[in-house]
Amino acid sequence: MRLGIISALAEEQHGLLEALQSPSRHFYGMREYTTGKLWEIDAVCVLSRIGKVAAAMTAAILVEKFGVTHIIFTGVAGSGDKNVNVGDIVVADTLIQHDFDASPLFPRFEIPLTGLSSFATDVALTERLAGAARQVTRVHRGLIASGDQFIGKLTQIQAMKADLPDLLAVEMEGAAVAQVCFELGIPFAVIRTISDNANDDAAVDFMHFIKTVASRYAFDVIHNFCKA
Ligand code: SAH
């Protein structure tokens, strides 16, 4: 396995670069890719930056230029369900692009020419990641939605939940990585620590959380994953 680990923000990657043994840094396409050994696993860590295009580009480069065979996205997200609390972790089983709408030509949410409106994560990788996360905090499994919007209004998250009743978390990159991995045949998984409730308090909660809990969780989960 050569594992690509993507995060959007520096806080989400906190500690991982320091843990990489024999690190080697490579600049490409406005991003820094660091290769090395992460507790015996051959790994490449990178910050995608924010949003679906940024994440898609990063995933494709990881595969095509750095030869990764598996990808994990680790980051934070807003809650999409009343049972999913700040500090919980959501591990995706499926991901959807909530802002994709080519109707009436295609059903809403469907990605043209794939026939799919959601992409499933790799079962083995997801099981291993969920096991690693359960040692850290409460874990939920299910649907994550991604779009090029920070969801910070109660009315926004309520409308999304009405359209996607199974929704557990909302963020800005996961489903883009999912589509790239689907198209390239790369097993992938997405894990998100809940930083906010995607409501009117989201921006303030997010800023606080990212600096405190999120960075430690991300590190602990990846550590457990690599040692498993
Ligand atoms: N002000 C921040 C912007 C971060 S955008 C900054 O300058 O760094 C939010 C990031 O966290 C995205 O990468 C997204 O994937 C995730 N996220 C957390 N809460 C979210 C929410 N409520 N809606 C959408 N994305 C969210």
Side-chain angles (χ1 to χ4, degrees), residues 8 50 76-78 149-151 171-173 192 195-196 198 206:
I50 296 166
V76 298
Q149 277 173 313
F150 182 80
I151 306 300
E171 38 88 316
M172 302 178 69
E173 298 85 15
R192 293 278 182 173
S195 56
D196 60 85
F206 167 85

